[in-house]
Amino acid sequence: MQAEKISISLSHSLLQFIETYKIAKGCKSPSQVIEVALELLRNQELESAYRQASSEVDSAWDVTVADGLTDETW
């Protein structure tokens, strides 16, 4: 994976948290801590999107599921 360098500004307390987390979890760099945080955020967003999608299930699907066919293989 090709990494790109960016510059961000964080509060002192967030920088302290990053350093503490890096040491506690054995991360190689502050960048790795940020990557972990962003993956968690991405997963949280995906989970929210899946939850919303599952609440929008089409009631016509129930008719299709109950069409008399079974999942058994011949």
Side-chain angles (χ1 to χ4, degrees):
M1 172 177 80
Q2 182 72 22
E4 292 188 36
K5 190 172 185 173
I6 64 168
S7 175
I8 61 171
S9 299
L10 298 172
S11 67
H12 181 71
S13 64
L14 283 175
L15 291 172
Q16 284 181 318
F17 175 80
I18 289 170
E19 187 61 26
T20 302
Y21 188 94
K22 179 179 77 103
I23 293 167
K25 301 297 183 178
C27 295
K28 296 176 183 177
S29 67
S31 293
Q32 190 176 23
V33 175
I34 301 299
E35 287 176 17
V36 168
L38 290 173
E39 275 298 317
L40 288 170
L41 183 59
R42 177 189 287 165
N43 289 341
Q44 180 182 344
E45 290 294 315
L46 283 172
E47 184 178 315
S48 176
Y50 286 136
R51 197 175 302 117
Q52 181 179 352
S54 71
S55 71
E56 298 171 356
V57 173
D58 186 358
S59 61
W61 176 250
D62 292 334
V63 173
T64 304
V65 171
D67 65 0
L69 299 176
T70 65
D71 291 335
E72 297 176 19
T73 333
W74 295 89

